[in-house]
Amino acid sequence: TLIAEKGSTVYFRCFTLSYPSQQLNLTFSGSLTNITSLASTILPLLEYSIVNIQPRSQGVYTCSALTTVSNRRVDNSTELLVYYIPSKHPDCMFVQAQDTSSVQLKCSWFGAYPTPKLRWGEDGDFQVTNSLSLTLNSSMLHDKQKVTCTALHKLLKQENQKSCSITLRAPFPEGKPLVTVLEGTNLTLTCSENTSLPPANTTWRKGQNQDLIVSGSRYILSFEGPAVKLTIVNISKDDERYYFCRSENALGVRELEVYLTVKTSSSAYTGAVIGVFIAALIVGSAFIVVKVLYSRRHTICLGGGFMQAEDSGDVLDLVDSDDEQIFHDTVPQLPPLANGRHTTLVQIHRIPSSEDHEDTETAGTDPQLPEQKEEPTEEEEDLVSF
């Protein structure tokens, strides 16, 4: 038996001695072909070569020597095996199990010759097989655990072994945890789970008891790739509760809690009402501030004039400009009345113009007050008593 590596060159040589003459013939018989003549000669030596040999050239090669006088025939056969390994690494995959209590893994490396040796994990002996299965219980598994399948071939050295691996992952469903919807409408809740290995079984449940939801007139379940969708038809206030997206595989169970809030149609205008109330409050506050400022306008400095009224004094100062004269007259106090209230005599003077040459003085009308000097310009006086 001869062994050749795929892609190499193989040489055949057939030699015989006979007298007076002979004929040499080289034939090939493969697993998928009949006997085929490759070369022949009347010389005592026959040489034949195959360049870049392929697996289809694997089979039995026979050199036949035939004498031309006695027609005696002698055969010499040899089997040629073409070894080869696939260019890719072994394949590691999951086998879908009936339940989630265990994980079944499968390692295969088809296309290699001879049959490779496979082994799961770091311990244990290699098994000579094209496909090797492994079953692991959930108690032997944990999240992010790496399981490796190693393949060994006669053309590979120990340090050049090829392998594949699988990293186990617990499920992790994703979606929106809070959803608000208007009463009387339809709603679709979406839950995606595409990270678990082996793939998890994902279901929708409702309520604190986590009752399983099945498709019907009220609930519609649909699947789009890794997304599991739950459509609730004609939502009412009774649908306001917790919903659970539950994903389970051999590594554990994970749940996504979704709380659904159902609002009535009247509550849809709550935001607008609040906005109008705030706007009205701002406008009302501005109106009150303007009204207060207007009512106290006599105490505010405007332009070049300033008016001051003091509770403790009885002096009234009026200032119009720097060119006019300022008069200060003390207003005499009237005697107190019987009811305990005071009466104050207020005299208002007209400021004389530049053409006037005499000062105007005021005189009290109370007989108890001292006499005041009266001037001829008595008509210009205005006497106001309070």
Side-chain angles (χ1 to χ4, degrees):
T1 301
L2 303 178
I3 297 176
E5 184 178 350
K6 177 183 174 181
S8 61
T9 302
V10 178
Y11 297 93
F12 293 93
R13 175 176 291 182
C14 182
F15 178 78
T16 184
L17 290 175
S18 65
Y19 183 83
S21 64
Q22 73 282 329
Q23 184 178 359
L24 297 179
N25 189 26
L26 180 64
T27 60
F28 168 71
S29 176
S31 59
L32 300 177
T33 60
N34 297 324
I35 298 176
T36 303
S37 178
L38 300 178
S40 62
T41 182
I42 58 174
L43 299 176
L45 178 63
L46 185 149
E47 292 182 333
Y48 182 79
S49 64
I50 302 176
V51 180
N52 190 20
I53 194 169
Q54 297 299 315
R56 61 178 179 271
S57 298
Q58 179 173 284
V60 178
Y61 291 83
T62 302
C63 181
S64 301
L66 178 66
T67 60
T68 58
V69 176
S70 62
N71 290 326
R72 183 182 176 185
R73 179 177 172 174
V74 177
D75 297 331
N76 190 359
S77 300
T78 182
E79 182 181 16
L80 176 64
L81 300 179
V82 180
Y83 283 3
Y84 57 93
I85 58 176
S87 58
K88 61 180 182 178
H89 288 263
D91 294 327
C92 293
M93 65 192 74
F94 291 100
V95 179
Q96 194 68 29
Q98 296 294 335
D99 53 43
T100 58
S101 61
S102 62
V103 174
Q104 186 175 358
L105 307 178
K106 186 177 181 180
C107 178
S108 61
W109 200 29
F110 295 103
Y113 185 84
T115 304
K117 296 180 180 181
L118 302 177
R119 180 183 66 186
W120 275 108
E122 300 297 332
D123 300 329
D125 297 331
F126 281 97
Q127 297 186 24
V128 182
T129 177
N130 281 325
S131 179
L132 180 62
S133 298
L134 174 66
T135 301
L136 299 175
N137 294 327
S138 58
S139 59
M140 305 169 58
L141 306 176
H142 59 83
D143 191 21
K144 297 182 181 180
Q145 179 180 356
K146 188 175 182 179
V147 186
T148 303
C149 175
T150 304
L152 182 62
H153 194 270
K154 290 184 178 181
L155 294 180
L156 294 175
K157 296 181 180 180
Q158 189 72 18
E159 60 272 12
N160 295 331
Q161 298 173 356
K162 291 191 176 184
S163 63
C164 62
S165 61
I166 291 179
T167 301
L168 305 178
R169 294 186 181 275
F172 188 78
E174 296 179 304
K176 294 182 179 180
L178 298 175
V179 179
T180 302
V181 67
L182 191 62
E183 185 179 15
T185 60
N186 298 340
L187 173 67
T188 299
L189 301 177
T190 302
C191 175
S192 298
E193 206 299 305
N194 56 356
T195 60
S196 61
L197 287 176
N201 181 24
T202 303
T203 57
W204 276 101
R205 300 171 182 266
K206 66 178 180 179
Q208 296 299 329
N209 296 330
Q210 297 192 11
D211 299 327
L212 180 64
I213 298 177
V214 295
S215 292
S217 59
R218 288 277 296 151
Y219 303 104
I220 300 175
L221 294 173
S222 60
F223 300 87
E224 294 182 5
V228 182
K229 295 186 177 182
L230 170 63
T231 301
I232 307 175
V233 181
N234 193 16
I235 291 179
S236 64
K237 200 66 177 179
D238 295 335
D239 295 318
E240 188 174 79
R241 58 167 61 95
Y242 277 101
Y243 292 84
F244 300 90
C245 178
R246 189 175 187 270
S247 296
E248 180 181 4
N249 66 0
L251 279 77
V253 179
R254 295 282 179 87
E255 293 177 345
L256 170 67
E257 294 185 3
V258 179
Y259 186 75
L260 176 61
T261 302
V262 180
K263 290 188 175 181
T264 59
S265 58
S266 59
S267 62
Y269 302 98
T270 303
V273 172
I274 295 176
V276 172
F277 174 75
I278 294 176
L281 183 62
I282 295 175
V283 173
S285 301
F287 177 76
I288 294 174
V289 171
V290 172
K291 187 175 180 180
V292 171
L293 294 178
Y294 181 78
S295 62
R296 298 184 179 181
R297 65 187 183 281
H298 61 279
T299 61
I300 302 176
C301 177
L302 299 174
F306 177 79
M307 182 173 65
Q308 177 181 5
E310 297 181 358
D311 295 337
S312 59
D314 298 316
V315 179
L316 184 65
D317 296 339
L318 298 176
V319 179
D320 289 340
S321 64
D322 297 338
D323 297 336
E324 297 178 345
Q325 299 179 5
I326 303 175
F327 291 87
H328 303 276
D329 288 328
T330 302
V331 179
Q333 300 293 329
L334 295 178
L337 300 180
N339 57 9
R341 296 182 180 178
H342 293 278
T343 300
T344 302
L345 180 64
V346 180
Q347 297 178 351
I348 300 177
H349 299 270
R350 291 186 179 182
I351 300 176
S353 62
S354 59
E355 297 178 357
D356 298 334
H357 301 287
E358 295 180 358
D359 297 335
T360 303
E361 298 179 357
T362 61
T365 60
D366 195 323
Q368 297 179 1
L369 295 179
E371 297 181 357
Q372 302 292 335
K373 182 180 180 180
E374 298 182 0
E375 294 295 333
T377 60
E378 201 172 33
E379 297 177 354
E380 298 177 356
E381 297 181 1
D382 292 332
L383 182 58
V384 180
S385 299
F386 299 94

